[in-house]
Every structure is written in C-alpha cells, then in structure tokens.
Amino acid sequence: MLRSHTCGELRLTDVNTEVTLAGWVQRVRNKGGLIWVDLRDRYGVTQLIFEEGSTDKSLLEKAASLGREFVIQSSGKVIERTSKNDKIPTGAIEIKAETLEVLNAAKVPPFIIEDETDGGDELRMKYRYLDLRRNVVREKLQLRHRMMQETRKYMDAQDFIEVETPVLIKSTPEGARDFVVPSRVNPGEFYALPQSPQTFKQLLMVSGFDRYFQIVKCFRDEDLRADRQPEFTQIDCEMSFVTQEDILNTFEGLVRHLFTNVKEVQLGEVERMTFADAMKYYGNDKPDLRFDMKFVELNDVAQGKGFSIFDQAELVVAICATGAGEYTRKQIDALTEWVKRPQIGAKGLVYVKCNEDGTYKSSVDKFYNQDDLKAWAQKTEAKAGDLILVLSGDAKSTRKQMSELRLKMGEDLGLKDRNVFKPLWVMDFPLLEWDDETQRFHAMHHPFTSPKTEDIPLLETDPGAVRANAYDLVINGVEIGGGSIRIHDRPTQQLMFKHLGFTEEEAQKQFGFLMEAFEYGAPPHGGIAFGFDRFCAIFGGSDSIRDYIAFPKNNSGRDVMIDSPSTIADEQLKELSIQIAAKKE
C-alpha cells in the first residue's frame, strides 16, 4: 500500500505515530518558511506541515512547488496542532512531513474542487471525474450505495431472489420510445433496450421463482427534465400468490426499512387515497401531503350571482392559503400573472381576503356581498388572516391549474419542509386513458395490468370507467414507485390487447411468448418498481436526480464528458446494414 492511513482517520490518539499518507492537494498555504498542505482523499482531509529549520530546504522547495490536485505521497510524524480546526474530524492533528513524492502533477482544474464551487452545471458535467472529487457529490453517491445495500438486505430477509434479466430484448410498447440496437449477425433486425424488465419478471413468476427483485438499468427515449434520464435505475420486484394488500404491506416495509436504516427517520402512517380523490382534492395523482390546501368546490355558492365567468364554468374550485391574508395587491397581481402563463393556462384568478375584523375583501365584490363571501369562507374553512384563491373553467384543466397554484403557494409559504416525509399510496387508477391524438385508449400503466374483476363488463360499454388493480407510492409529491396485480391468463390478456387496439396478429407477434407461457400454469402475481434515482434524491433533499448518478446525461441526452452520442465510422454502418438518411435542409 502507498499509504498507512487514509486522510480521514488520524486523531489525537495517533500523536507521535509515523504515518504515510497519499492523496490530492486540496490547497497550499505558503508563509515563506512555513508551508501547510491540505491533503485530501475520499475519507477526509489531513494537514501536512513543512517548517524551515526542521525541514530539509529541498523538501520545503518541493512543497512550495505543489499545485491544486497534485497527487502526492508524504511520510512523517503525527503531532498535535496548536491552532485546531473543529470543522473537520482530523482538525486536532497535523503531519510533520519528512518525505514528499509527487506521484502525478496536475493541470490547474477548470473549477474549484470544493463544496462551494465556481463551476457551472455544463462545465462540471464535462469534467465529471473532477466534480466527483467534491464532498457534496461523493456523499450523494455514498447515500446511493447505502440505499442499495439496505435494499438488498431487506429483500433477502423477505426471501426474494435477485435475478438479472436481459438488456438486449424485443421492442414492445410500454409508453415511451425504445432505444434500439442493430444486430450485425441478423441484418435489418434490431434489439431494444428494456424500458423495464416487465415481461421477464412475469415469466419468472410463471417459472415458480415466487419472489424476484433486481436493481436494474432501464432505458426510455423520452424528453428529459430534472427527474428524468435516458437511462435510470429501478428496484424491480414481483411476487406470486399475493393480493394487492400483500404487496402494499411488503413494500411499505421496504420503505420503512430504508428510512429507518439510512435516513434514521421513523415514518408515520402511510396514507391511502383513491386516484379519483387525488384528482378531486389535489388535481394530480401524486399529491404533496406535507401541507393541506385541499380543493373545495364552490359551484353551489358561487354560481347564479351574475358573475358570468363562474356561471358558465363547469367547475369553480378554491384553496385556502392559511395566513396569507396579508398578501399585498402587488403579490396577488403577480400570482394572477403566474397562473395566466401558457404553462398554466388559467384565464384569471379570483381572491378573497379574510380580514381580522371578520369582513371580506374580494376581487369580485361587485357580484358578491359579505354574506356570499362568508359562505365561501365557511366552505373552505378559512379563518381571519387567510387568503382564498379561486379558479374556474372546464373541470379537467381547472383542476390541473389549481394543482400548480397549490404547489406554488406551498413553496411560497415555506410549507415544503425537506425534513418532513409524507408517503401515500394512490390506488384504483383507471385501467385505460383516452389519447386525443391517436383517438384511442392506451394503458395508463402497461398492457399487463389487471382490471378490477367487477369492472371487466365495462370494457365493452364504458372502457374509461374501468379501474385497475394498480397503485403508486408517492412521497412529498414525487412518484417513487408504481405497480399492479398482473393479468395471468391468456383470455384476459387477449381481451386487454383487443381494447388497446391490437389486432390478434400484432398481439401474437409482440407478446405471443407471454400469452403462451400463461397457458402453462401461471400463478396469480403482482409487483412494483421503484425509481431508485428519485428515491435517492428524496433522501438527499434534492429536486434533481443527476447528482445521484455517477455519470449523468444533460437535458439533450448527451454525455458531454465523453461526447456521446456521436457518429460512427462508415465501415461500422456498412457492417450493421445501416444507411443514414440525408438531413433535410
């Protein structure tokens, strides 16, 4: 070993010990006859001291020539520091250096490699191997490591078997575009990279494995944002001979295990809510329950008073922002402009201030008297000092707009505490959702989700009303995982494909292997998949998943460090029987 100790382990109890350390130069402080060098590795920072008189002159000159990020090895004696640094674990000691060897010199790094850096996102991604030297980034990957280990520990204790599934598979419709890989030995044919191991984990249940899990890479060619990457990691799980309740209890156990052992947080009750209620009261299927502000419908007390905007609306809906009654006209105008942005799409915003003297001030005072506004306040349970915000229009878009406004108010009022965790199971999703573009129904989750038995007759008469045996786990407004009880017999699976618009030939070509497997004794089964990167970001208190991935892509799906994707040689294209289409002018 080139070192006897790491840069993070020496303490006062090691004084007078002869040690050898190796690592990167964090910084050099040169006072002429006295030089301090902060030496860093993954484990911490230790200070080296080179002092004129007790240090050889050539050694002092060598220390003075060191630059940031030089890789060095140094030996010496551990001594007690006269001026201690209580901000680092090794701050009570330093090394009186006796030798110094430069193992590798370094160019001046393009940004400061410290917790507070001067490097922008794109620059740090280009030099990701340098960014990974920073404590704040490395700690996020260490958190990821711990979560992986604790996941495996819990799953093993629950008798799950970790099984690897193929990465080169068949292209199947799962909601996003596939990444495809050409086959050299089968010209004109392609593999696809898996969007999830869905069919394989179901086949493992047919195989009798009973309990499967995998921490697995998945790939989706879709538009990117802070919580999406073209390649991401799932905790993928499946169980046989289980009901929905069994799955919820098992994986609620995993979530509690991770919070207890990684975050040292004891979760409270994991609430349950139907999809219908989530949409009715929060306007989306992943409500943030760290704060209240439930939607309250005002149609019965707001319509019929001569205010045509409300009278013509399918839905008039309000939220009560507790304590926001002191908002100025300027603040309310800014909110109005915010909801009118194209991304939100509201036509306007109505407000009611609940004054401390029991009166009400509203932007629609012309149409509503104090008794009318008092009725609004009673319905929304607004008290003196609160602010009622109201939107109206067609039900679907108005709920979506109010959802965005609710989340903004939660942020503006400081209600999104990153140290508070509110998990929620959202259940009873619609099996199918209508797509206006293709003019047909699509599976809300995937084609293998089972409908609720009592709703199967509705497939013929009212497909949009059919509920699925599906469930999502939401934490603080972020979907962490989702799953379902699966279809496990051929007739039901064929019926599902029919209602998704597959011809018998298309269904057979794409999923014939699975339907045939169902004819060889497939057990009832179900499962769930957690977005592991998102899980890590929740634990780390971040909005973006990028820092929890060692080498992430940017918003264009590019790895700017290795400059990928990139063109390949004509010879390779020829070998793969691929011709690049000419770009349109």
Side-chain angles (χ1 to χ4, degrees):
M1 295 287 288
L2 297 184
R3 60 189 179 192
S4 61
H5 297 76
T6 71
C7 294
E9 66 177 293
L10 295 170
R11 302 290 187 272
L12 276 174
T13 51
D14 298 300
V15 166
N16 292 324
T17 304
E18 292 287 340
V19 300
T20 300
L21 302 184
W24 287 263
V25 174
Q26 179 82 18
R27 66 176 66 85
V28 178
R29 298 186 299 285
N30 190 340
K31 300 293 184 182
L34 193 60
I35 298 174
W36 291 280
V37 175
D38 288 346
L39 190 63
R40 182 195 74 239
D41 64 10
R42 170 187 144 191
Y43 307 97
V45 175
T46 298
Q47 181 172 282
L48 312 179
I49 182 170
F50 300 82
E51 194 170 6
E52 193 173 41
S54 59
T55 299
D56 181 84
K57 186 180 179 182
S58 63
L59 188 60
L60 201 65
E61 290 173 352
K62 202 171 188 180
S65 70
L66 295 175
R68 283 178 178 264
E69 302 308 310
F70 275 42
V71 184
I72 66 171
Q73 180 192 50
S74 182
S75 298
K77 184 180 288 187
V78 181
I79 62 173
E80 184 174 357
R81 280 173 69 163
T82 52
S83 179
K84 295 182 174 57
N85 180 356
D86 59 5
K87 294 180 180 177
I88 57 173
T90 60
I93 59 94
E94 59 191 356
I95 310 301
K96 189 170 185 179
E98 297 163 2
T99 69
L100 174 62
E101 183 180 351
V102 175
L103 301 176
N104 209 339
K107 294 197 296 184
V108 176
F111 54 86
I112 296 171
I113 301 175
E114 293 183 10
D115 289 0
E116 295 296 326
T117 182
D118 57 352
D121 286 348
E122 201 72 4
L123 182 65
R124 288 186 291 110
M125 287 185 74
K126 182 176 180 180
Y127 295 95
R128 181 64 168 173
Y129 49 86
L130 297 180
D131 196 33
L132 288 168
R133 293 181 187 174
R134 298 169 57 229
N135 287 329
V136 290
V137 181
R138 186 177 61 250
E139 285 166 2
K140 288 177 170 62
L141 290 174
Q142 287 172 326
L143 170 66
R144 183 186 180 97
H145 164 77
R146 284 195 61 204
M147 291 185 69
M148 274 193 174
Q149 302 315 306
E150 290 296 337
T151 296
R152 288 192 163 100
K153 190 185 297 183
Y154 176 86
M155 299 301 280
D156 183 59
Q158 299 294 317
D159 288 332
F160 282 80
I161 300 173
E162 187 167 7
V163 183
E164 290 180 287
T165 52
V167 173
L168 297 175
I169 66 165
K170 184 185 186 71
S171 180
T172 58
E174 297 213 25
R177 296 181 191 89
D178 287 324
F179 283 103
V180 295
V181 181
S183 170
R184 179 185 58 82
V185 295
N186 299 283
E189 296 186 319
F190 295 82
Y191 300 105
L193 302 181
Q195 294 185 35
S196 81
Q198 182 63 43
T199 54
F200 289 102
K201 65 181 182 180
Q202 290 192 247
L203 289 171
L204 285 168
M205 296 304 99
V206 177
S207 303
F209 273 63
D210 195 66
R211 293 189 170 202
Y212 141 93
F213 89 101
Q214 185 180 186
I215 299 177
V216 59
K217 277 282 187 196
C218 300
F219 307 85
R220 290 180 188 171
D221 186 6
E222 58 187 350
D223 295 335
L224 306 180
R225 56 183 188 230
D227 62 346
R228 281 185 182 169
Q229 286 276 294
E231 53 181 307
F232 57 96
T233 303
Q234 285 185 178
I235 308 173
D236 199 56
C237 316
E238 200 79 2
M239 304 170 72
S240 291
F241 303 111
V242 288
T243 64
Q244 178 173 290
E245 191 66 24
D246 297 321
I247 292 174
L248 299 187
N249 290 333
T250 299
F251 293 103
E252 191 172 306
L254 170 62
V255 173
R256 289 187 185 280
H257 176 87
L258 291 174
F259 270 99
T260 300
N261 292 282
V262 178
K263 195 74 178 164
E264 297 182 356
V265 168
Q266 298 299 318
L267 278 188
E269 178 192 359
V270 181
E271 292 189 43
R272 297 186 181 186
M273 185 182 299
T274 64
F275 171 85
D277 280 349
M279 298 305 292
K280 180 177 180 179
Y281 295 118
Y282 299 98
N284 69 58
D285 59 3
K286 45 182 185 294
D288 188 339
L289 298 187
R290 284 175 293 180
F291 57 100
D292 194 13
M293 275 194 240
K294 286 171 76 170
F295 294 6
V296 178
E297 296 179 11
L298 299 181
N299 292 52
D300 59 335
V301 292
Q303 292 181 323
K305 302 287 185 177
F307 185 46
S308 61
I309 292 174
F310 281 1
D311 290 346
Q312 295 166 12
E314 182 183 1
L315 175 69
V316 182
V317 67
I319 56 172
C320 172
T322 304
E326 296 301 314
Y327 262 42
T328 64
R329 184 58 188 266
K330 185 178 178 181
Q331 286 175 296
I332 292 173
D333 287 346
L335 274 182
T336 304
E337 290 306 309
W338 188 86
V339 299
K340 288 166 72 174
R341 295 181 313 152
Q343 301 96 309
I344 309 299
K347 295 277 195 303
L349 175 66
V350 169
Y351 73 88
V352 180
K353 285 186 177 185
C354 303
N355 298 322
E356 294 294 344
D357 63 2
T359 62
Y360 302 94
K361 173 61 182 169
S362 171
S363 53
V364 287
D365 284 338
K366 180 180 175 182
F367 301 95
Y368 299 92
N369 61 34
Q370 290 291 298
D371 287 339
D372 294 331
L373 298 177
K374 184 178 181 180
W376 295 17
Q378 288 173 338
K379 286 210 75 169
T380 58
E381 298 184 1
K383 305 289 188 294
D386 293 348
L387 177 67
I388 303 169
L389 298 171
V390 188
L391 294 175
S392 62
D394 72 273
K396 186 176 180 181
S397 59
T398 302
R399 289 189 193 284
K400 188 175 180 182
Q401 292 156 9
M402 186 57 91
S403 172
E404 296 294 336
L405 179 58
R406 175 183 178 272
L407 292 172
K408 177 173 174 54
M409 294 304 295
E411 188 72 48
D412 291 352
L413 296 173
L415 303 176
K416 292 184 174 183
D417 187 341
R418 291 190 186 276
N419 296 311
V420 171
F421 300 95
K422 290 289 186 180
L424 165 74
W425 287 111
V426 179
M427 305 157 66
D428 296 351
F429 281 82
L431 182 71
L432 307 168
E433 58 182 341
W434 181 258
D435 183 7
D436 288 327
E437 192 175 319
T438 59
Q439 288 292 296
R440 65 184 181 90
F441 282 104
H442 290 262
M444 181 169 266
H445 285 79
H446 53 60
F448 317 107
T449 299
S450 70
K452 287 191 174 292
T453 306
E454 62 270 29
D455 288 358
I456 289 179
L458 293 173
L459 279 170
E460 299 295 339
T461 58
D462 189 4
V466 179
R467 294 167 300 158
N469 284 310
Y471 34 82
D472 280 358
L473 180 69
V474 176
I475 301 178
N476 295 357
V478 178
E479 180 195 329
I480 296 297
S484 64
I485 298 297
R486 322 301 187 189
I487 296 168
H488 68 280
D489 64 285
R490 183 171 189 135
T492 307
Q493 189 64 71
Q494 283 179 315
L495 182 66
M496 183 68 171
F497 286 143
K498 173 191 166 188
H499 286 282
L500 290 172
F502 286 76
T503 65
E504 283 189 30
E505 293 74 20
E506 287 170 337
Q508 183 61 34
K509 182 180 179 183
Q510 292 196 323
F511 299 110
F513 65 93
L514 184 65
M515 290 191 290
E516 184 175 8
F518 286 167
E519 296 183 295
Y520 286 93
H525 59 280
I528 193 168
F530 295 95
F532 186 63
D533 312 294
R534 289 185 189 179
F535 222 155
C536 291
I538 284 280
F539 270 52
S542 303
D543 292 322
S544 172
I545 64 175
R546 281 186 189 167
D547 278 346
Y548 300 86
I549 299 171
F551 299 102
K553 309 287 190 295
N554 68 11
N555 282 345
S556 301
R558 296 195 67 82
D559 185 328
V560 293
M561 182 184 69
I562 62 173
D563 190 25
S564 174
S566 58
T567 57
I568 61 174
D570 288 342
E571 199 58 40
Q572 272 184 287
L573 291 172
K574 187 176 178 182
E575 201 171 36
L576 293 168
S577 305
I578 292 177
Q579 186 174 350
I580 305 295
K583 287 185 179 179
K584 293 180 180 178
E585 293 297 329

